[in-house]
Amino acid sequence: NSQTGDITSVQLFNLTQQDAFSFIVEAYNPQAIIPQSTRMTVTFNILDENAHAPLFNPSTDTISVLENIVAGTVIYDLNASDPDRGRNGIISYSTSESWLSVDAATGVVTVAIDVFDHETAPSLSVIFTAIDGATRPLTHSFRLFINVINVNDVAPIFVGGPWFTSVSEAAPVGT
């Protein structure tokens, strides 16, 4: 505004297209005996408004693990993205399941306790959450389906018994 000096926008700002605007402002006094003016460069940095939630793509996946997998074994690597900038684009990962552990910063999922047993649960599913670092954070969920592969971990047993039989000492070989 040439009368007040107020600067207003004439379009919406889009941080993903341009993160700053610079322009020259001139103050001019045409009524002075000798007209005078001065110029100054003004730069506006566009702040991120957390326009995007983190995104898992795809939002589900299926893996298979052996039932005898041990605690501490890495079973998955979560990967979400967020095009926001600064802390608004920093993603943390979590799950409410205590039998899995997820590194909040990297998304690496490990087995926390020896829990897999094909005979009691041949398949499982777990939900993970990605949350951005904004003051008012946005989230996205990911579901991992886990097929538990059976391992020959049960020793055979004899049913009934005790068993007794008799054989003649004169029985031929292969009897």
Side-chain angles (χ1 to χ4, degrees):
N1 184 317
S2 64
Q3 300 301 312
T4 65
D6 289 343
I7 299 170
T8 58
S9 64
V10 295
Q11 68 184 36
L12 292 175
F13 298 110
N14 186 337
L15 180 66
T16 58
Q17 292 177 351
Q18 189 172 358
D19 62 359
F21 291 90
S22 293
F23 51 89
I24 297 173
V25 175
E26 181 178 18
Y28 179 72
N29 183 357
Q31 297 176 354
I33 295 173
I34 301 174
Q36 296 184 1
S37 68
T38 186
R39 292 179 179 205
M40 181 172 137
T41 300
V42 176
T43 301
F44 285 97
N45 293 316
I46 308 303
L47 301 176
D48 188 14
E49 285 296 318
N50 199 28
H52 306 280
L55 178 65
F56 287 105
N57 190 11
S59 59
T60 64
D61 200 0
T62 302
I63 63 169
S64 296
V65 298
L66 296 174
E67 70 178 334
N68 63 351
I69 194 168
V70 295
T73 303
V74 173
I75 62 167
Y76 202 79
D77 190 2
L78 297 168
N79 188 12
S81 61
D82 187 333
D84 287 317
R85 296 190 182 180
R87 75 180 197 182
N88 294 347
I90 296 173
I91 298 172
S92 297
Y93 301 95
S94 65
T95 185
S96 61
E97 300 295 340
S98 61
W99 49 276
L100 291 176
S101 175
V102 59
D103 185 297
T106 66
V108 172
V109 179
T110 57
V111 176
I113 57 174
D114 298 339
V115 68
F116 296 104
D117 183 15
H118 177 81
E119 287 74 25
T120 57
S123 63
L124 304 161
S125 78
V126 60
I127 294 177
F128 295 94
T129 302
I131 184 170
D132 63 27
T135 303
R136 287 176 287 191
L138 300 174
T139 64
H140 190 240
S141 294
F142 173 84
R143 183 178 296 270
L144 182 63
F145 296 96
I146 303 171
N147 294 319
V148 181
I149 299 171
N150 195 21
V151 174
N152 189 10
D153 61 346
V154 179
I157 59 170
F158 286 102
V159 178
W163 298 96
F164 296 99
T165 188
S166 300
V167 65
S168 167
E169 73 174 317
V173 174
T175 301

